[in-house]
Structures are given as structure tokens and as C-alpha cells.
Amino acid sequence: MEESKNKLDIEIDSQKKSYAGIPEADFVEDVDAFMARPENESVDKVLKKLEENHMKYKFMEYNLVNKRRRLEAQIPDLERSLEMIEKLKTEKDNSHDLETQFLLSEQVYAKATIPPTGKVCLWLGANVMLEYTLDDAQEMLSKNIEAAKKNLGYVEHDLDFVRDQFTTMHVNMTRIYNWDVKRRQALKIS
């Protein structure tokens, strides 16, 4: 039942164009009709406007790539924290201390001796740390991992969408530029 529900969610979600509200670029099918519009008085202005939109999509892509990078780094950190909570839960009922190493900074570890405990402190960000029971911490980290993976899926979808819009804008600029070249050549001949 759960698997069929997830498949349904994926089908519904795949129909959505953009989760971040990224506008869809219109493909210029008929360049003559497009250039005949009153707001498109000169080719240079049209190309400039299309280039601005092209750059906006490039900026959106840059932001999404950074967001994807942050999420891809965050998920393993959350999973390691969850593994440690599970280890603490299994060792909670033992009478001996747990010896472990923890990461201080990249490639620098410190040795630690942890007495059996039912509580753990977690960094929440913005210089905030809270104490949780092991069960509450496990539940919160599981939800955070699930949310991060879901957000990563949204970001990947939006990245694909932005790249499609980026391509559409590039094709539009090329078509209008080529239309203008043909128009100028026709004016020279006549």
C-alpha cells in the first residue's frame, strides 16, 4: 500500500513544472508573428530582453546548484548523527562507558568516553544547541533526513526545469538573430 502511494506521489509531482515557482520560458514558434508585436519594435531590444531573461535563468541555476551542494553535504551529516544516536540507544543499558572518536574538524578526531545516557545534545544551527531524549533525537533526525532528501529531489527537478528554460531562451535568441540576418539580407537584395 505504501509503495503504491509513493508511486502516485511521484507521478503527481512529476507533472509539476517547478517547485520554486520558476517561470516557464515561452518558445517563439513563429518569429515573424513574435516580431510583429507592438512591444517588439527593434531586434536589439528583443535580444537584450531575452539575454536578460537568459541571465536570470543562469542565476537561478547557480542558486539551485548551491542549494543542491548544501543538501548533499547535509544528508550524510544527518545520517552519521542518526547512526550515533542508534549506537547510544543500544549502549544505554550497558554499565560500561562507550569509547569513541568524534570529528573536531577535517581529519582531526578526538577520543571520547561516553557514559551510558538517555539524552543527547544536538546543534540546530544559528549557535543553538538543545538537549533531547534519544528517542526524540532519533525521530527528529529521521524527519530531517526525509525532508532533506525530499528537498533534494525538488532541487534536482527544478535544476532540470531551469536548464530546459535556459535552452529555450538560447534557442529563441538564436532564432530571432537568424531571422534578423535573413531580413537584412533580403533588404540588401531588394
Side-chain angles (χ1 to χ4, degrees):
M1 176 82 174
E2 183 69 26
E3 186 177 303
S4 64
K5 181 183 179 263
N6 287 340
K7 285 182 183 177
L8 180 62
D9 288 343
I10 291 169
E11 288 175 20
I12 291 170
D13 288 347
S14 67
Q15 295 172 1
K16 189 165 185 161
K17 292 187 179 188
S18 169
Y19 291 100
I22 299 166
E24 187 173 7
D26 294 326
F27 178 70
V28 177
E29 189 74 38
D30 184 0
V31 178
D32 289 322
F34 179 77
M35 292 306 294
R37 292 181 187 169
E39 68 268 15
N40 298 335
E41 58 201 43
S42 86
V43 173
D44 291 336
K45 286 184 181 179
V46 170
L47 288 174
K48 185 177 178 185
K49 184 172 177 11
L50 290 174
E51 179 63 29
E52 287 173 5
N53 289 335
H54 189 259
M55 295 308 293
K56 287 177 186 176
Y57 285 121
K58 203 63 172 156
F59 180 71
M60 289 178 217
E61 178 187 36
Y62 173 78
N63 287 330
L64 287 169
V65 165
N66 285 336
K67 189 173 185 178
R68 179 183 64 189
R69 199 173 292 132
R70 282 192 309 270
L71 286 169
E72 286 174 341
Q74 179 186 28
I75 291 171
D77 287 344
L78 290 170
E79 288 172 341
R80 280 191 298 274
S81 296
L82 185 59
E83 286 174 19
M84 185 48 124
I85 300 253
E86 290 167 355
K87 178 72 173 170
L88 288 172
K89 281 179 77 170
T90 58
E91 297 290 329
K92 181 171 82 169
D93 297 329
N94 291 342
S95 59
H96 61 26
D97 292 346
L98 173 67
E99 290 201 18
T100 187
Q101 294 182 357
F102 64 93
L103 186 66
L104 287 177
S105 66
E106 193 171 326
Q107 301 296 321
V108 179
Y109 290 87
K111 206 174 215 181
T113 304
I114 304 170
T117 182
K119 297 187 184 220
V120 68
C121 294
L122 296 176
W123 283 107
L124 300 180
N127 293 327
V128 175
M129 179 184 272
L130 288 178
E131 184 178 70
Y132 290 93
T133 65
L134 293 177
D135 290 332
D136 289 343
Q138 184 178 25
E139 181 182 335
M140 186 187 78
L141 287 172
S142 296
K143 286 180 182 178
N144 287 352
I145 290 169
E146 184 180 320
K149 287 180 178 179
K150 189 175 183 181
N151 286 340
L152 183 59
Y154 291 160
V155 168
E156 290 289 346
H157 179 270
D158 282 350
L159 259 172
D160 289 341
F161 181 78
V162 162
R163 288 179 179 141
D164 287 345
Q165 305 321 299
F166 185 78
T167 301
T168 301
M169 293 306 294
H170 189 73
V171 169
N172 285 345
M173 289 189 302
T174 303
R175 293 188 67 190
I176 290 171
Y177 180 81
N178 290 341
W179 173 86
D180 186 44
V181 168
K182 287 179 185 177
R183 182 183 63 87
R184 288 179 190 206
Q185 286 175 349
L187 286 175
K188 284 183 180 177
I189 292 172
S190 45

